[in-house]
Amino acid sequence: MNILPRKLKISWLIVHLLLIAYSITVVYPAILVIFNSFKSTQEIFSSPYGLPKSFSFINYVNAWNEANFGVYFKNSVFVTLVSVFLVLLVASLAAYVLARFKFKGSFVIFFVFLLGLMLPIRLAIIPLYILVRDLGLLDTYTGLILVYVASGLSFSIFILYTFFKSIPEEMVEAAKIEGANSFQIYYKIMLPLVRPALSTVAIFNFMSFWNDFFFPYILIKDEALYTVPVGITSFFGEYTTDWSLLFAGLALSIIPVLIVFFVMSKQFIEGLTAGAIK
């Protein structure tokens, strides 16, 4: 009688130990970056794993003002927020139509979107670069934002389509009886019901766009338009590197991701676990 509970306890103990070990491997580098951001370059080399002698914010001030990190940070915030908003808008509209309306070719359109999950957009970087160049969108926010929106649509539509599909048809019929049109049903009924999915899509895309180095490096050559991942590379000198400014910049770049996750963590977890518990 006690064998099964004992095995379950052992299994749960192993799972928790693995999760703790994984958490340490994820959190420790971030803590190390934060501690080193308060040190001078000399102190980083002499004591890379120790606590800083003093918690001075001079490195952050210098990184923000003298190393142009403030410009890179503002560029990333603008590009990322606009891209996430457009992905949520376009993906939610497309998923709503594909999930709730039946018309000729709807499955083909949905399948085309799913192809984006199987074929990474980076494989098409040469024709993509030529397209952006011919449209005159190189070295512009617009070109980078459009590429981000295109890269995020497949995953976002796939997630939102599943949630829209799971909403009972009776709710839609009741809204139609009350006189609501299709857009009102989408805006006032559907979107509030799929809020966990919207949060999941927003967080995944925010992290992807914020941390992306590849597309800004290819499509942006004007340093005034650099985003954080590309801008940080300017901290590396040809012969020397100011590691104190580099770690301060890395610490600053972590803050928006943490803020977004903590603000939307409840909805994010609900989105991931939806359907797992009845």
Side-chain angles (χ1 to χ4, degrees), residues 21 57 81 101 148 186 271 278:
F57 288 91
L81 291 182
F101 295 91
Y148 279 157
Y186 158 79
K278 296 293 183 179

Side-chain angles (χ1 to χ4, degrees), residues 94-115:
Y96 168 63
V97 172
L98 293 173
R100 308 305 303 189
F101 295 91
K102 297 300 180 183
F103 55 91
K104 187 176 181 180
S106 60
F107 177 77
V108 175
I109 296 175
F110 181 63
F111 181 76
V112 170
F113 280 119
L114 291 184
L115 286 177

